[in-house]
Amino acid sequence: MASTIHINGLPFSCTDVQLRRIFVPFGTVELAQILKDAYGHSLGRGIVQMSSPEEVEHIFGAQQLFEVEGKHLDIWEPRDGSEGKPPEDRRLLSEAA
């Protein structure tokens, strides 16, 4: 298992700092980054890297639904370097609940 998770469904106003705050209760957040287009506008997606795979497991094990500004977030683990949309064999947090 990797220590990186991807997040879809973020409000366009969400910042890196807000994204980091969501995951701090689960461990050490090494990176929290909102993905942006060439003009610096949010794509509504982000990447979070925790310090260990066990912390990612803790996020999924909590079976908590995450929301920001009333928007439900889809949280998933990339498989084998997959990028963009989650692949069909992904593990979604919403499926764990």
Side-chain angles (χ1 to χ4, degrees), residues 7-72:
I7 299 95
N8 291 344
L10 290 164
F12 295 116
S13 61
C14 187
T15 66
D16 293 348
V17 172
Q18 289 172 313
L19 183 59
R20 178 180 295 276
R21 285 183 188 147
I22 295 167
F23 296 99
V24 163
F26 297 96
T28 303
V29 179
E30 304 253 330
L31 170 77
Q33 183 176 29
I34 302 294
L35 300 179
K36 298 177 182 171
D37 66 14
Y39 300 101
H41 300 117
S42 171
L43 297 173
R45 299 185 335 217
I47 297 173
V48 172
Q49 182 176 349
M50 303 300 288
S51 64
S52 71
E54 292 78 20
E55 292 172 340
V56 171
E57 191 63 38
H58 184 59
I59 291 168
F60 281 88
Q63 297 186 357
Q64 174 180 339
L65 294 180
F66 293 89
E67 286 189 13
V68 175
E69 297 178 17
K71 291 187 74 171
H72 172 72

Side-chain angles (χ1 to χ4, degrees), residues 68-84:
V68 175
E69 297 178 17
K71 291 187 74 171
H72 172 72
L73 305 181
D74 289 322
I75 300 173
W76 54 280
E77 292 179 278
R79 299 280 190 225
D80 298 324
S82 64
E83 298 294 330

